[in-house]
């Protein structure tokens, strides 16, 4: 029996989603295992003492933890296609934008909307806070403006080729889009860019994710939204 | 006149400190410019739309933003000494630990102590919250335990050679140590490791930093603390 790579993930975790897209783009076979870090499973903590998904376990059992380290690792061992960039400055630009979406967008938008509207309800942690949700929506508008700014100057977010920057941004946006919270009509160039990513085979599995008790809106998996 | 690299930084910003150590370890000449991101200076926002330090500006004017992108960039253009590691798995381990200290330690310890005890007072944002400070101290103890766990198994945090993992951890700890808040005596192996980093020439400039109105404790710059 062939021993496969294993990715420990959560379906609506944007960091896990980035790695799922990256593995698909690089045509790496893997199996998905859903891991709820809140359970603090001892075997999982042995793999990643930080107790967070995503964790990629190699066929020999070695674990690589965190979306940043996993994406860098994948680009080093599967260099075709390159997903960071060619020159050091191009690579710095990709990494700047990955950090923008994985830190800034995640804190200012994804956590405020997905955690407040979905996880709070599913985990029975009380009523969503309308002020937090309003702030998340306002921030989302600004981030969509920034995506528009970038794609009006470049074919993809970091330059002329698709990179982890596009995948990190789309991974975050896909979680918010699962709630139906993205005002695509007000940001046409961002929608066109997202449609290009969404129609890639690497995105397909994400669009099939369904959270029990919280179905996505009709347009979520629609490639012509 | 030779045009030098410029690093926009803040003295007690742990991310800026990591880059300062990295530049010194790689023997790269640079000049430091203090930038207060809260001022939202237009010229600075042009360099880094995220409006955060550190930002490294190359002699040709190109900017590289964020400690992660800057450290990766420096390792690509100045490969000697290598500060991430040799094999892809070693490099993944360095990056995992850098993320551990720059995200987890920073949120659980540095922000809770440095922001609460120092920045709040200097910026007249009210009284420090004793619950937050208590949590910061408790978390700090756990992180020091983790450093002890690592250095009892390896010469440096990520393996047998010094890497960005050591520098990221020491950069965070140096900010907390500026407050005099590290219980070194209760964590001897962590102190021995920190003493090794602290005595490196690359650390010297950090130990000379003085914040107006908040002098460091006597042991802060002491190599035999």
């Amino acid at each position: 029996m062939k021993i496969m790579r294993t990715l420990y993930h959560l379906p609506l975790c944007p960091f896990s989603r980035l790695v799922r897209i990256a593995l698909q783009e690089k045509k790496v076979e893997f199996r998905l295992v859903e891991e709820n870090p809140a359970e603090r499973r001892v075997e999982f903590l042995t793999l990643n003492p930080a107790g967070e998904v995503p964790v990629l376990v190699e066929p020999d059992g070695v674990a690589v933890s965190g979306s940043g380290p996993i994406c860098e690792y994948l680009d080093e061992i599967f260099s075709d296609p390159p997903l960071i960039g060619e020159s050091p400055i191009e690579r710095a630009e990709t990494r700047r934008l990955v950090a923008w979406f994985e830190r800034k967008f995640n804190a200012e938008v994804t956590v405020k909307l997905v955690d407040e509207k979905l996880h709070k309800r599913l985990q029975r942690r009380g009523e969503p806070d309308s002020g937090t949700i309003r702030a998340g929506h306002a921030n989302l508008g600004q981030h969509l403006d920034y995506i528009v700014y970038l794609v009006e100057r470049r074919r993809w977010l970091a330059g002329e080729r698709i990179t982890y920057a596009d995948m990190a941004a789309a991974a975050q946006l896909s979680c918010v889009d699962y709630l139906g919270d993205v005002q695509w009509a007000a940001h046409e160039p961002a929608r066109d860019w997202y449609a290009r990513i969404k129609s890639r085979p690497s995105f397909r599995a994400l669009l099939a994710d369904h959270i029990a008790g919280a179905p996505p809106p009709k347009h979520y998996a629609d490639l012509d939204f």
Side-chain angles (χ1 to χ4, degrees), chain A residues 18-214:
Chain A
L18 166 56
V19 174
R20 289 163 70 189
I21 301 167
L23 285 162
Q24 296 276 2
E25 288 283 336
K26 290 190 176 279
K27 305 209 184 329
V28 179
E29 277 188 75
F30 65 103
R31 67 182 184 113
L32 272 179
V33 173
E34 196 169 323
E35 176 73 36
N36 181 359
E39 289 175 17
R40 313 265 319 151
R41 219 167 41 86
V42 174
E43 293 86 349
F44 182 66
L45 289 170
T46 310
L47 292 174
N48 181 12
E52 294 166 354
V53 289
V55 175
L56 180 69
V57 179
E58 289 288 270
D60 64 2
V62 174
V64 181
S65 299
S67 58
I70 296 172
C71 285
E72 294 281 345
Y73 175 75
L74 290 175
D75 220 55
E76 289 176 3
I77 63 168
F78 302 107
S79 53
D80 183 32
L83 295 180
I84 305 179
E86 301 288 338
S87 76
I89 283 293
E90 284 169 20
R91 294 162 67 80
E93 177 66 353
T94 298
R95 291 178 178 124
R96 175 183 79 82
L97 289 167
V98 169
W100 179 289
F101 289 102
E102 293 223 292
R103 314 240 336 226
K104 204 170 160 61
F105 186 105
N106 184 66
E108 294 173 358
V109 180
T110 312
V111 170
K112 289 197 195 309
L113 296 179
V114 178
D115 195 60
E116 207 60 43
K117 293 180 71 170
L118 196 139
H119 293 148
K120 229 178 178 176
R121 175 162 68 79
L122 294 178
Q123 297 161 9
R124 297 167 199 272
R125 284 192 276 118
E127 290 298 307
D129 179 72
S130 60
T132 305
I133 293 170
R134 254 198 314 277
H137 281 143
N139 295 338
L140 174 55
Q142 295 188 342
H143 280 282
L144 288 167
D145 287 343
Y146 189 48
I147 291 173
V148 170
Y149 171 89
L150 292 171
V151 295
E152 283 179 347
R153 282 156 183 82
R154 307 161 165 179
R155 178 156 167 72
W156 295 96
L157 295 187
E160 292 315 298
R161 290 171 69 166
I162 192 167
T163 66
Y164 287 143
D166 302 281
M167 297 166 198
Q172 295 282 341
L173 273 164
S174 72
C175 294
V176 181
D177 200 39
Y178 190 93
L179 305 172
D181 276 18
V182 186
Q183 300 295 317
W184 292 115
H187 304 271
E188 287 276 356
R191 174 162 74 182
D192 293 346
W193 159 84
Y194 189 63
R196 275 190 279 144
I197 297 247
K198 195 173 172 179
S199 58
R200 293 173 82 90
S202 62
F203 223 77
R204 212 169 284 155
L206 274 60
L207 300 178
D209 283 348
H210 273 67
I211 311 298

